Amino acid sequence: VKSITCHTFKEATGLQQNIPTNTEEAQYCILYPIAAAAYAGKLGPNEVNGSALQDEKILALAKKVKIVVDANLTSEAGDPELKGKDTAAMTANIAWVEVKTKDGKTYKGDKARVPWDRLAGEPAPGNKEITEKFMSLGSEVGKDERLLNSVVTNCLSMEDLRDVSVIETALMPAPSHGNSDCTLSCLIS
């Protein structure tokens, strides 16, 4: 890969554009997640944990990412796909990428928007979608399926619980002793 250019709305350029040094910084960075997703084919907890943040291949790719404002996707222009729709969207919350390879080829991606963005008129996720995302992310960081199912069951019947500490206890990470890897608690942050 020679370069990756992310064409996006103006407000997205306000996100951190330095290489993150920890998981918290990675959540507010725009260059690193694009590089990690391009390298791994997805972006999840394993792509923003301590060891991934040190991966030389991802870091080298992150240095090739450039963010540019697409004038059609700014809050002033509004999202062309939302024109005339009853929505409170102030920004497009949309982007597309262009990848140039060292052999001179250029690949342009489709527009992608933030899923479940209520301000852009996207429908809210239901219990099924939230459960699937939680189970996927939890299993990706090595959490036991029975534990994850227990948390889901308790969350879906929270109004019947006498004490919600059972959920909190299940979600609390074990003492890390300096380990910065993503735990189940970072899935809910």
Side-chain angles (χ1 to χ4, degrees):
V1 171
K2 181 179 179 183
S3 67
I4 299 175
T5 305
C6 176
H7 301 262
T8 190
F9 58 104
K10 180 174 65 177
E11 292 81 359
T13 64
L15 293 170
Q16 177 183 330
Q17 294 194 31
N18 298 325
I19 302 301
T21 59
N22 58 52
T23 300
E24 289 74 27
E25 288 179 10
Q27 292 180 53
Y28 297 100
C29 178
I30 192 166
L31 304 179
Y32 179 85
I34 292 169
Y39 180 76
K42 63 183 178 68
L43 185 65
N46 290 331
E47 288 71 47
V48 294
N49 70 15
S51 59
L53 292 170
Q54 304 302 315
D55 187 311
E56 292 299 322
K57 292 178 182 176
I58 297 174
L59 295 174
L61 193 55
K63 292 175 184 174
K64 297 177 182 183
V65 176
K66 182 171 71 171
I67 308 301
V68 298
V69 174
D70 183 325
N72 293 317
L73 303 178
T74 65
S75 58
E76 291 83 12
D79 185 340
E81 295 176 15
L82 296 175
K83 291 276 189 212
K85 293 186 179 177
D86 183 24
T87 179
M90 293 302 295
T91 64
N93 286 343
I94 195 167
W96 62 277
V97 296
E98 179 178 31
V99 178
K100 293 186 178 181
T101 61
K102 292 177 182 176
D103 63 1
K105 294 180 182 173
T106 300
Y107 300 90
K108 293 183 179 183
D110 295 328
K111 289 181 186 175
R113 78 170 58 255
V114 177
W116 307 331
D117 184 353
R118 305 255 337 251
L119 290 176
E122 295 286 317
N127 288 342
K128 180 181 181 223
E129 291 90 356
I130 292 171
T131 298
E132 287 172 354
K133 181 174 182 178
F134 178 78
M135 296 296 290
S136 173
L137 293 172
S139 65
E140 188 174 326
V141 295
K143 297 302 175 184
D144 180 72
E145 187 174 351
R146 288 176 301 186
L147 169 77
L148 297 173
N149 280 320
S150 172
V151 171
V152 168
T153 299
N154 285 321
C155 285
L156 293 176
S157 61
M158 192 176 294
E159 61 276 352
D160 297 329
L161 290 178
R162 291 170 37 134
D163 184 1
V164 295
S165 66
V166 66
I167 298 171
E168 181 183 20
T169 301
L171 293 173
M172 295 301 294
S176 66
H177 305 292
N179 182 354
S180 64
D181 282 353
C182 181
T183 63
L184 190 59
S185 64
C186 79
L187 299 179
I188 59 170
S189 63

